[in-house]
Amino acid sequence: MPHPYVLLSAAVSLDGYLDDTRPERLLLSSPADFDRVDEVRASVDAILVGAGTIRADNPRLLVNSPERRAARVAAGKPDYPLKVTVSGSGDLDPAARFWHTGGEKVLFTTDKGAQRARALGIAADIVPVGPDLDWRLLLEHLYGERGVRRLMVEGGGHIHTQLLTQGLADELQLVLAPLFVGTSDAPRLFGPGAYQGGRLRLLETRRIEDVVLMRYAPTAPGVGGTVSAADRHWLASACELAAQCPPSGTAFSVGAVVVAADGTELARGHSRETGDPVAHAEEAALAKIDPTDPRLATATVYSSLEPCAHRASRPVPCARLILDAGVRRVVTAWREPDTFVAGADGTGVLVAGGADVVVLGEYEAAAKGPNRHLVGG
């Protein structure tokens, strides 16, 4: 099921701390950066912080600019984004400013935590998600039940770590402040964990007074049937490649990208890219990779259309080419219709060969776009 675009936002010292150990809050951002954060808040549907942040900082999480609030209202949105927090225990201060400022609030907690929060009189919509907190279920609820498409996460470090290690963060906005904390027991931005491998993709760097904003996106694919934020990025890239295909009345326009487990792009291709009228996207991409490359065994093929199981133009269909290359994970946007081959089932071929196949239906419209002349809207 879809979930929101998850944007992690934090400011850290040069030695990687979110705060020091003094009672008062350490201000790491500059005034101009606080205004940037206000602008980002105004652009999202919801803002999330952990229970620890509420206890330590007692934040209000408001959009401070009247002009930005007015622009939200003019766009048909509430003055303030939905405020979200997560607590396994439900043991939170009902007098905290979080509950009594801004617009609507929601608390995700466990079944036991919900009982505790209700007993305390927490002024929020309390949503139990079972015996344990489940981030995927939480995000799916925000998307499906609350209409949240963009979620800003402002901490703390434990929350950021969980979202990154579970492959659920789409973007990291990190502000680096020109100071040192130097205290080993101060809160850090990230804790230990099994982070999904690979270098992050740099989206932007920007100087803001005396701090530097760095925006990164994860690149590592998910594992098996688990979907990572990077899976959506790479599948979107495959759909964009499909739009580059020379049009045809007898074949689909398809894009494909092959990505290693560490997030390194190995190759990409699209239908008919070399002028060959019968070249398929997965075929074109795989042909660019050394077949002895050991990274293929843990790579993912992203294809805007389900890889073909049958074709008249070549002796080997793309589903078989993928398996023969050693790839055992495929992410696609759209199951192949019967336009040219009745009963097409590339997924069946892949699964029978030991591959995991993930279909992200939210990208189906993008995959169909270059093929409207063949299948309609």
Side-chain angles (χ1 to χ4, degrees), residues 43-311:
S43 73
V44 301
D45 302 305
I47 305 169
L48 183 149
V49 295
T53 298
I54 293 178
R55 296 185 187 107
D57 299 339
N58 196 19
R60 296 182 302 159
L61 297 182
L62 302 178
V63 175
N64 293 314
S65 165
E67 293 78 15
R68 290 173 183 143
R69 294 199 301 271
R72 286 179 58 87
V73 173
K77 298 179 180 181
D79 296 41
Y80 299 99
L82 175 71
K83 296 202 298 188
V84 183
T85 191
V86 181
S87 169
S89 68
D91 189 8
L92 291 159
D93 181 1
R97 295 189 297 181
F98 181 90
W99 315 112
H100 304 289
T101 56
E104 295 185 19
K105 298 94 184 171
V106 59
L107 164 63
F108 289 97
T109 183
T110 60
D111 295 337
K112 289 184 178 180
Q115 297 176 14
R116 175 64 173 162
R118 292 187 181 112
L120 288 170
I122 296 297
D125 187 1
I126 299 169
V127 180
V129 292
D132 300 298
L133 290 172
D134 185 325
W135 278 103
R136 293 184 184 277
L137 184 63
L138 184 158
L139 293 173
E140 290 170 2
H141 177 94
L142 285 174
Y143 188 98
E145 302 298 324
R146 309 282 169 162
V148 175
R149 297 297 180 263
R150 288 182 63 84
L151 172 67
M152 182 181 187
V153 180
E154 294 198 40
H158 184 61
I159 299 291
H160 287 322
T161 298
Q162 288 184 321
L163 289 168
L164 276 172
T165 55
Q166 294 183 39
L168 297 173
D170 294 276
E171 181 180 338
L172 171 61
Q173 293 191 0
L174 181 64
V175 165
L176 191 62
L179 55 84
F180 296 94
V181 170
T183 307
S184 61
D185 56 347
R188 299 190 68 91
L189 174 57
F190 299 120
Y195 291 93
Q196 296 192 13
R199 298 171 70 90
L200 278 67
R201 181 166 47 93
L202 180 63
L203 303 176
E204 179 190 7
T205 59
R206 190 194 321 168
R207 177 178 175 177
I208 305 172
E209 294 179 337
D210 66 342
V211 304
V212 176
L213 167 68
M214 296 169 289
R215 295 176 52 231
Y216 288 97
T219 60
V223 178
T226 301
V227 177
S228 74
D231 285 329
R232 295 189 290 276
H233 163 74
W234 292 117
L235 187 57
S237 296
C239 292
E240 291 169 1
L241 283 169
Q244 299 179 21
C245 299
S248 171
T250 58
F252 290 114
S253 292
V254 182
V257 186
V258 185
V259 180
D262 66 356
T264 300
E265 180 181 323
L266 300 180
R268 58 176 55 203
H270 60 75
S271 305
R272 304 177 292 281
E273 70 169 31
T274 61
D276 182 346
V278 298
H280 285 198
E282 303 92 335
E283 172 187 32
L286 289 169
K288 298 170 185 174
I289 306 172
D290 182 345
T292 65
D293 191 326
R295 294 174 294 179
L296 283 167
T298 53
T300 296
V301 169
Y302 298 89
S303 180
S304 61
L305 177 67
E306 176 186 40
C308 63
H310 304 282
R311 61 188 295 191

Side-chain angles (χ1 to χ4, degrees), residues 339-354:
T339 308
F340 301 116
V341 178
D345 187 19
T347 296
V349 172
L350 289 164
V351 171

